[in-house]
Amino acid sequence: MTSERPDMSVQLGSLRLRNPVMTASGTFGFGVEYAECVDLERLGAVVIKAVTVEPRIGNRPPRIAETAAGMLNAIGLQNPGVDAVIAEKLPELASYDVPIIANLAGESVAEYVQLAERLTACGYVAALELNISCPNVSHGMMFSSSPELTGELVAAVRRVTDLPLITKLSPNVTDIVPMAVAAVEAGSDALSLINTLLGMSIDVARRRPMVGNITAGLSGPAIKPVALRCVWQVYEAVQVPLIGMGGIMDSHDALQFIMAGASAVAVGTASFVNPAASVEIIGGLEQYCCDHDLCGIGSLVGVAHS
Amino acid sequence: MVQEKCRLLSSEQVAPGHWVLRLAAPAIASFARAGQFVHVRIPTTYDPLLRRPISIMLPEARQGNLRLLTCAVGRGTRMLVETPIGTELDLLGPLGTAFPLPGGPELSEAKEVLLVAGGMGVAPLVFLADTLRGMDHHAYVRGLFGAATEDLLVSWTEFAARCDEFYVSTEDGSAGEQGRVTDTLVAQLERGQADVVYTCGPIAMMAQVAQMCHDAGVACYCSFEQRMGCGVGACLSCAVPAAGGGYVRVCRDGPVFAADRLDWEAILDDI
Ligand SMILES: Cc1cc2nc3c(=O)[nH]c(=O)nc-3n(C[C@H](O)[C@H](O)[C@H](O)COP(=O)(O)OP(=O)(O)OC[C@H]3O[C@@H](n4cnc5c(N)ncnc54)[C@H](O)[C@@H]3O)c2cc1C
Ligand SMILES: Cc1cc2nc3c(=O)[nH]c(=O)nc-3n(C[C@H](O)[C@H](O)[C@H](O)COP(=O)(O)O)c2cc1C
Ligand code: FES
């Protein structure tokens, strides 16, 4: 056993995180909603709910449905719009000592660029995550299913920001690797994978879809094998750090993603089940490093490939 | 709001399909207010995955216990009521808004109140009646309780014991007046004795209560339900249509809403 505490920090482009565990966009609001029962300052980063140029009221209810070891959601990017997010939401979260990663959702390259400019200039944000993969709005997946459009979008945003740029990929494609390669070639510093899987459920009693939007995004333990496979494939194809997510419930799950090639992980649906999940995962990863005499978590990234 | 491990002390079946669970939850019980709920994790499984929102029926603040009236309607609630005594349940709470009380800023003049319960909806109103009784210059409380049959007047004695006047109705006439609780409400509102109405029950019932109160010019607060993810206001899963457009979150902006804050037409459309 080493007496030193293991080095849990990770590097995402120019951003250094004190540990590799962040919250997944849309599952942790603007962070402060959980502040009463989660110590935000323990987290590697807080990734906030998707931000759009204009306010969005979101989809008609019901917006979620439970499925076998998972859940469907179709929130529809409800958010008060970038101006209100900067004026009303970010200052409170910024009062905590934790990096803020903004999640951007646009309907055109111009909108993403506008969002990136505003969020870079506001000074609260440590990195940008391009959500090109939301399954719950029309055109949501347009960018994520074409390497050309992905590259065009990432390149355009790259030109207007010096912040670390993360592109979040969708699993709802025939082959995720070309999207990953395109995003990296266009200047993405890191990749997040995966967003939710498109699915649906039917209420037999009412003879209607369970979710108002009809189709919805599947998350939770049910999608972990798919997410892990995506991380594995992309790790073999690109050199940038990967942020793995999809069904991570505990540190054992997180270790699987790290060993598959993720430098960091994001905890989503697990926070609904157990608000303390992300903090417990940090503890579990640290414990694993101690138990196995590792000087840092970094030495585990991708080890399952060799 | 705290996340608390709570030992299940007892589980008593009080009606067909209905149980009262008693849990040791000193932290939650100490600051719970009537109308708030707890988000309960189904123990040791990821299937079902999500927590279940359950109203607080009564905190026994001195003993540090909580009572939850639970109806086994599906897999999760069935697993809850079958949980062995002594098991530790993981609760998040108290969550959401409470009923505004007479004498408070919204209801400074309220002296006579009506509590309108439909079936299971009695749970938060038992807590409210208990709170009202414990207040210094307490308002005069009339309780109205309706259900389909006598069997489903769950925990009615708990409710009745905390009201100054109490009226029962059943749709099949097996107890009290035959008819719906809203029929009883008509008569009460006509007498003009209510300064505020609090209601909880099926959505169609609450929509009708809201309309009747609106027409009578009486303030009305209702406790609402929606499927939930986080329960703490972060995920926007629990949206219901708000009056004037947009949505409000049942878990954070509610579950107790002033009835005129909701768009009842859109709500009835979605069910
Ligand atoms: C604020 C609030 C207070 C509540 N208070 C009580 C109470 O005191 N006693 C009680 O027995 N029940 C109460 N409910 C309803 C209770 O949460 C549901 O009956 C329960 O979630 C059903 O779960 P299930 O697994 O048995 O059913 P399933 O139908 O198998 O559940 C499937 C999914 O839908 C959700 N769901 C189903 N019905 C409802 C509903 N009516 N409201 C919210 N989510 C639902 C479940 O949580 C689950 O995620 C309350 C709901 C809310 C929102
Ligand atoms: C309720 C909900 C809302 C979400 N909203 C967003 C969002 O706004 N932007 C985004 O990029 N991903 C969003 N996601 C996807 C998650 O960030 C994550 O990629 C996905 O849920 C898989 O991880 P999990 O299984 O740990 O939840 C959302 C997921 C859920 C469950
Ligand atoms: S359940 Fe998450 S916002 Fe209400």
Side-chain angles (χ1 to χ4, degrees), chain A residues 26-29 33-34 36-37 49 57-71 75 78 203 206 208 210-211 220-221 249-250 269 272-276, chain B residues 1-3 39 41 45-52 75 90 92 226-241 245-247 249 252 266 269-271:
Chain A
T27 63
F28 213 69
E33 292 88 341
Y34 273 107
E36 268 180 74
C37 61
K49 173 73 189 165
I57 64 166
N59 290 333
R60 72 181 290 195
R63 291 180 172 180
I64 60 166
E66 199 177 45
T67 60
M71 62 171 280
I75 308 299
Q78 179 180 338
D203 183 340
R206 289 159 63 246
R208 276 207 249 164
M210 272 281 191
V211 173
M249 303 302 284
D250 55 29
T269 303
F272 304 164
V273 181
N274 174 20
Chain B
M1 175 222 315
V2 294
Q3 186 176 0
H39 215 17
R41 182 163 173 192
T45 176
Y46 288 146
D47 186 23
L49 180 66
L50 299 170
R51 288 171 183 262
R52 298 309 194 246
R75 218 150 66 88
D90 176 344
L92 200 57
Q226 181 59 289
R227 292 184 214 152
M228 288 184 183
C230 68
V232 303
C235 72
L236 309 173
S237 295
C238 60
V240 293
Y247 296 97
R249 298 163 300 179
R252 190 84 168 208
D269 241 23
D270 284 336
I271 57 172

Side-chain angles (χ1 to χ4, degrees), chain A residues 24-27 49-50 71 73 75 77 103 129 131 168 194-196 219-220 223 245-248 266-270 272, chain B residues 235 237:
Chain A
S25 176
T27 63
K49 173 73 189 165
M71 62 171 280
N73 89 81
I75 308 299
L77 298 178
N103 181 272
E129 181 179 66
N131 174 6
K168 183 163 177 178
I194 57 176
N195 209 317
T196 52
S219 65
I223 72 168
M245 68 198 77
I248 297 177
V267 176
T269 303
F272 304 164
Chain B
C235 72
S237 295

Side-chain angles (χ1 to χ4, degrees), chain A residues 66, chain B residues 37 50-55 69-71 73-78 120 123 224-228 255:
Chain A
E66 199 177 45
Chain B
F37 69 96
L50 299 170
R51 288 171 183 262
R52 298 309 194 246
I54 306 284
S55 299
L69 175 60
T70 308
C71 178
V73 293
R75 218 150 66 88
T77 45
R78 201 164 307 120
M120 274 296 302
F224 218 81
E225 290 186 5
Q226 181 59 289
R227 292 184 214 152
M228 288 184 183

Side-chain angles (χ1 to χ4, degrees), chain B residues 179-222:
Chain B
R180 291 172 184 264
V181 71
T182 40
D183 303 335
T184 323
L185 179 61
V186 176
Q188 290 290 334
L189 288 174
E190 274 170 3
R191 265 184 251 155
Q193 288 175 327
D195 299 315
V196 54
V197 171
Y198 301 97
T199 184
C200 184
I203 288 176
M205 176 204 105
M206 290 197 290
Q208 220 182 326
V209 172
Q211 183 65 51
M212 292 163 67
C213 291
H214 178 82
D215 294 344
V218 175
C220 176
Y221 294 89
C222 56

